[in-house]
Amino acid sequence: MINTLVTDLIRQSKHNIAESAVCRWKIMCVNSPALIAYSDEINLGQRALKNFLRINLYRHYRVLRMSAKAQRIITTCLTSS
């Protein structure tokens, strides 16, 4: 997965730089499109993965419940000392 991301980032960035015909970094303006970027296909896949993980892992009720329990334990231990 990491190899796919790195390879795509390099390939797409080379393409973006060639398409933009930028000769010097100094002449790039703030509003110009990002030159270092993933391809549209990888970008969409990453967004889908992040959304899936947010819903099904990071915000899963069991994870949230255990996080709250851990906070209570740590708080109790710190205040008891």
Side-chain angles (χ1 to χ4, degrees):
M1 186 181 209
I2 293 172
N3 182 53
T4 300
L5 293 174
V6 170
T7 303
D8 182 78
L9 183 66
I10 291 169
R11 186 180 309 121
Q12 186 64 39
S13 298
K14 282 181 179 180
H15 174 76
N16 292 348
I17 291 169
E19 287 290 314
S20 70
V22 173
C23 297
R24 293 184 217 159
W25 293 102
K26 288 182 180 180
I27 62 172
M28 290 178 54
C29 66
V30 175
N31 295 328
S32 65
L35 297 178
I36 308 302
Y38 291 111
S39 64
D40 291 339
E41 179 184 357
I42 293 292
N43 205 15
L44 286 173
Q46 271 197 312
R47 278 195 208 143
L49 177 60
K50 286 179 181 181
N51 285 335
F52 175 84
L53 290 174
R54 186 179 303 112
I55 293 166
N56 296 294
L57 179 64
Y58 307 134
R59 295 185 185 263
H60 191 275
Y61 79 94
R62 287 183 178 171
V63 173
L64 295 175
R65 189 175 64 196
M66 288 304 292
S67 294
K69 184 177 179 180
Q71 277 185 318
R72 282 194 312 273
I73 291 170
I74 291 170
T75 302
T76 302
C77 288
L78 291 176
T79 56
S80 297
S81 300

